[in-house]
Amino acid sequence: MKKLYKFKDLRGLLLVINVIFALYFIVLPIINMLKYAFFYNGQFIGLYNFKKYMLNDKLYSSIVNSFKVSISSSILAMILAFLFVYGIKRTNIRLKRFFKCVPLILFSIPTLVHGIALICIFGKKGIMNQVFLNNIDIYGKYGIIICNVLYIFPVISSLLFVAFEVTDYRLYEVADMMGTKEIKKFFTITLPSMKFTLVNAFFSAFTLVFTDFGAAKVIGGNYNLLSIDIYEQIIGKQNFSMGAVAGIILMIPSFMFILIEYLIFKRKRFEELHGIKYTIKGNKVRDIFFQIYNLTILFIIIFEIVTIIFMSLVKSWPYNMSFTLDWYKVKSYGTSIGEIYFNTIFVSIITAIIGTIIVFIAAYLVERNKNNFILKKVNYFLYKIPLILPGLTLGLAYILFFNNPNNPLNFIYGTFIIIIIANIIHFFSIPFLNIISNLRNIDDKYECVSEILGIPWYINMIKVIIPLSMTSIIETFLYYFLNSMITVSAIIFLYTSSTRVAAIEIVNKSDIGDLQAACAIALIIIFTNLVLRIFAEKINSKYKNIER
């Protein structure tokens, strides 16, 4: 019994350590940032900085512009993604296997790379302007919208794939018996059965666009957005008070999304569905339309990637079209692309390994531990906070918190350590919630049996729970790695000349107009992400078969 008591205490101790970790790396940096927004020289000034922000025409317009771009991008991407997924799941078109790869490819491309590709295609020296047209202006609002549509397209598609999968065909069979027309079935069965997914997809897309930094930085031109405001206030003007205000405003859509999602979904009962799989009927006109439409989407993505490849392999577009690999050998401030790539792989792998371990242990202690009820609730709440933290806000909070000489961990500022921690926290909530969801599907009798047999909980976790959770563990590792490879916002304030990673270098190259070198770096990121994703999918498929 004493031995068992110690094991329970150890879980409680680990929960306490998790709370301390979350408080120090999530809560305290945010509280410290709030001081810059609500205090001046130690005096509480209330909403004065917010009022000052709103009265500035340029800053106020950035909020309005951010909402316009976010709404427009989300609606357009929802329509395009819905039609694309509908074509795959509800028609008899060919090449479905290739069409399913589109979201996987887009997941591997950061928004700033979409921006660079658009500049290479439609910019003043772009392919389309050189070959066909001479008056396209891609910079500004419409360029940002196109980039963000490509950015959120795979996110929406992945949610819609699941929604189409779980729709019960029996509803359509009943409608057929009643002689219901196809268009009426679409509006009375298809859309209503997916309404929760559509709401979730829209708000997810809106939040991602509202907080995105890459597209606006590369192709935004003079069109001001809230994310660019934070960057300019901190990097350009060293105005931390206004930067903190912008960072707080940037959190509002994420907070509202979580609140709305909770209010909508709390009354919906989620049950395991055992419906009949949808049977696709013949319709030549429909199939021709969706075949052309999906091929068009596929062509756009292929054309974008081919453009990036082409631009990275010619000496000087559009003046010297001879083949070269020089853009892959360019040095920046004495650092080669190879060294920057090594930094990127190092940061991504360490983030993925440590992040996956911390996330799994945190999720296990919250979900599979019958004791320490209050500590579990505190852990769950603290680790959901990153959901409302945009990368720029987190990066700003870290620079204000860890760049303080009085901070005992001040020494990590300017090192890879702070970048890795920022990535772990930034991407923490989604894999945390996914693993909790997976652990709920594992029979809780395993803990009961191990307790009766006197087997320590950690032995049971290592030998039973972890093998049964390998798919979610691999997905968590992949999620951390891919996002660490392409993220900009969370680390834009934290890197130094010696800790630059590939995504940051793309921004730097874009700033000085060195687009061909940026294309070379972007291609390396895309290739690395695709190779790892394919490799991970093969491993995951084996574990899925074992779990079944």
Side-chain angles (χ1 to χ4, degrees):
M1 288 299 291
K2 287 183 179 180
K3 200 173 183 182
L4 204 59
Y5 182 73
K6 287 180 180 178
F7 293 146
K8 290 178 181 177
D9 276 353
L10 178 59
R11 278 179 283 188
L13 177 62
L14 289 173
L15 283 168
V16 170
I17 292 171
N18 272 340
V19 169
I20 294 170
F21 177 80
L23 287 174
Y24 199 83
F25 290 104
I26 301 174
V27 178
L28 291 181
I30 297 302
I31 291 174
N32 183 66
M33 186 187 71
L34 294 178
K35 290 196 307 184
Y36 284 84
F38 294 103
F39 290 83
Y40 181 75
N41 288 337
Q43 295 285 326
F44 180 71
I45 57 173
L47 298 175
Y48 174 78
N49 283 328
F50 289 86
K51 182 180 178 182
K52 186 178 176 182
Y53 191 99
M54 293 296 182
L55 292 175
N56 185 308
D57 291 338
K58 182 184 176 183
L59 298 179
Y60 177 74
S61 68
S62 69
I63 299 176
V64 176
N65 291 343
S66 294
F67 273 99
K68 285 180 180 177
V69 166
S70 300
I71 293 171
S72 302
S73 302
S74 301
I75 292 174
L76 182 58
M78 287 277 290
I79 295 169
L80 294 174
F82 187 91
L83 291 173
F84 183 78
V85 177
Y86 189 92
I88 296 172
K89 304 301 292 185
R90 292 288 188 267
T91 70
N92 291 310
I93 61 174
R94 298 178 179 180
L95 304 175
K96 287 186 178 183
R97 183 176 294 181
F98 291 98
F99 295 141
K100 288 178 181 179
C101 293
V102 169
L104 298 179
I105 295 170
L106 288 175
F107 267 126
S108 304
I109 305 175
T111 49
L112 65 159
V113 174
H114 291 307
I116 289 170
L118 282 179
I119 294 171
C120 292
I121 296 169
F122 297 109
K124 292 179 181 179
K125 295 181 181 179
I127 294 171
M128 298 300 286
N129 266 335
Q130 292 294 322
V131 179
F132 302 108
L133 306 163
N134 293 308
N135 57 354
I136 297 177
D137 185 10
I138 197 64
Y139 294 94
K141 178 181 177 181
Y142 296 109
I144 296 171
I145 289 174
I146 294 171
C147 285
N148 282 317
V149 167
L150 291 169
Y151 170 47
I152 59 179
F153 185 92
V155 177
I156 297 171
S157 298
S158 61
L159 293 171
L160 293 176
F161 269 117
V162 176
F164 276 111
E165 281 285 345
V166 299
T167 303
D168 194 344
Y169 182 63
R170 287 173 293 189
L171 299 172
Y172 293 93
E173 287 183 323
V174 173
D176 287 337
M177 285 185 230
M178 298 174 66
T180 308
K181 293 182 179 180
E182 292 297 320
I183 189 69
K184 190 172 182 181
K185 283 193 284 185
F186 177 78
F187 286 105
T188 57
I189 300 175
T190 304
L191 287 182
S193 66
M194 303 173 68
K195 60 186 177 182
F196 294 102
T197 300
L198 292 172
V199 170
N200 188 22
F202 175 81
F203 281 107
S204 297
F206 180 91
T207 303
L208 287 170
V209 175
F210 194 84
T211 59
D212 179 64
F213 172 75
K217 184 71 175 72
V218 172
I219 205 169
N222 295 321
Y223 193 77
N224 205 34
L225 294 179
L226 194 58
S227 57
I228 295 299
D229 273 349
I230 298 179
Y231 183 77
E232 290 179 348
Q233 295 295 331
I234 301 302
I235 301 298
K237 301 176 182 178
Q238 298 289 300
N239 190 340
F240 296 110
S241 294
M242 287 297 103
V245 169
I248 292 168
I249 295 173
L250 207 61
M251 292 167 60
I252 293 174
S254 302
F255 179 77
M256 293 301 296
F257 165 52
I258 291 174
L259 181 62
I260 292 169
E261 185 183 43
Y262 171 74
L263 293 174
I264 290 175
F265 287 93
K266 72 174 183 176
R267 294 182 181 179
K268 178 178 171 60
R269 288 184 64 194
F270 292 93
E271 298 176 352
E272 190 176 356
L273 298 175
H274 299 283
I276 300 172
K277 189 176 180 181
Y278 187 88
T279 303
I280 302 171
K281 296 180 180 179
N283 186 322
K284 285 188 177 181
V285 175
R286 178 203 63 196
D287 292 347
I288 290 171
F289 170 80
F290 281 102
Q291 189 75 63
I292 295 171
Y293 175 79
N294 281 32
L295 281 171
T296 302
I297 298 293
L298 181 62
F299 172 78
I300 291 170
I301 306 307
I302 292 173
F303 184 65
E304 179 186 12
I305 294 173
V306 169
T307 299
I308 294 170
I309 295 171
F310 179 74
M311 295 295 286
S312 70
L313 295 176
V314 296
K315 278 194 174 181
S316 179
W317 171 267
Y319 310 110
N320 187 342
M321 307 295 286
S322 56
F323 174 82
T324 183
L325 292 174
D326 289 346
W327 297 113
Y328 293 90
K329 304 172 186 176
V330 170
K331 285 197 172 186
S332 178
Y333 301 103
T335 306
S336 68
I337 288 179
E339 291 172 298
I340 292 171
Y341 179 68
F342 176 81
N343 290 348
T344 310
I345 293 294
F346 171 76
V347 168
S348 300
I349 288 177
I350 299 301
T351 298
I353 293 172
I354 297 176
T356 302
I357 292 170
I358 295 174
V359 165
F360 184 84
I361 291 173
Y364 178 85
L365 292 172
V366 168
E367 184 58 33
R368 308 291 292 193
N369 177 17
K370 294 180 180 180
N371 305 303
N372 312 112
F373 178 79
I374 295 175
L375 278 174
K376 288 196 300 181
K377 288 293 183 183
V378 172
N379 269 265
Y380 186 76
F381 171 77
L382 289 175
Y383 283 130
K384 283 188 72 176
I385 293 176
L387 281 175
I388 66 169
L389 288 180
L392 284 170
T393 303
L394 182 65
L396 173 60
Y398 272 30
I399 192 177
L400 296 175
F401 186 66
F402 290 104
N403 198 26
N404 184 347
N406 295 322
N407 191 313
L409 291 185
N410 171 254
F411 67 90
I412 71 171
Y413 185 76
T415 68
F416 283 117
I417 297 173
I418 194 170
I419 292 176
I420 290 167
I421 293 172
N423 283 337
I424 289 172
I425 297 300
H426 184 204
F427 304 117
F428 195 96
S429 296
I430 291 177
F432 174 70
L433 295 173
N434 284 343
I435 289 180
I436 282 181
S437 177
N438 176 75
L439 291 174
R440 283 175 183 166
N441 293 327
I442 299 174
D443 198 332
D444 59 2
K445 291 185 177 66
Y446 288 116
E447 276 78 14
C448 296
V449 172
S450 67
E451 200 166 313
I452 292 168
L453 296 174
I455 298 172
W457 63 270
Y458 53 82
I459 297 296
N460 178 66
M461 181 186 76
I462 293 169
K463 292 190 174 182
V464 179
I465 305 301
I466 288 179
L468 291 174
S469 306
M470 281 307 297
T471 54
S472 60
I473 290 171
I474 292 170
E475 285 166 4
T476 298
F477 180 91
L478 187 65
Y479 180 82
Y480 263 122
F481 184 91
L482 297 182
N483 280 289
S484 298
M485 286 288 291
I486 66 176
T487 189
V488 174
S489 59
I491 61 175
I492 192 68
F493 300 131
L494 304 175
Y495 77 95
T496 64
S497 59
S498 60
T499 60
R500 279 173 296 161
V501 292
I504 294 296
E505 192 62 15
I506 292 175
V507 174
N508 294 337
K509 292 296 183 185
S510 174
D511 281 346
I512 62 175
D514 200 353
L515 293 182
Q516 291 183 261
C519 285
I521 301 169
L523 193 62
I524 293 171
I525 292 177
I526 294 169
F527 179 75
T528 302
N529 284 354
L530 286 176
V531 168
L532 183 69
R533 183 175 284 278
I534 292 168
F535 182 69
E537 287 292 330
K538 286 185 177 180
I539 295 175
N540 230 355
S541 62
K542 292 181 180 178
Y543 278 108
K544 282 180 181 177
N545 292 331
I546 292 171
E547 288 175 15
R548 287 195 191 110

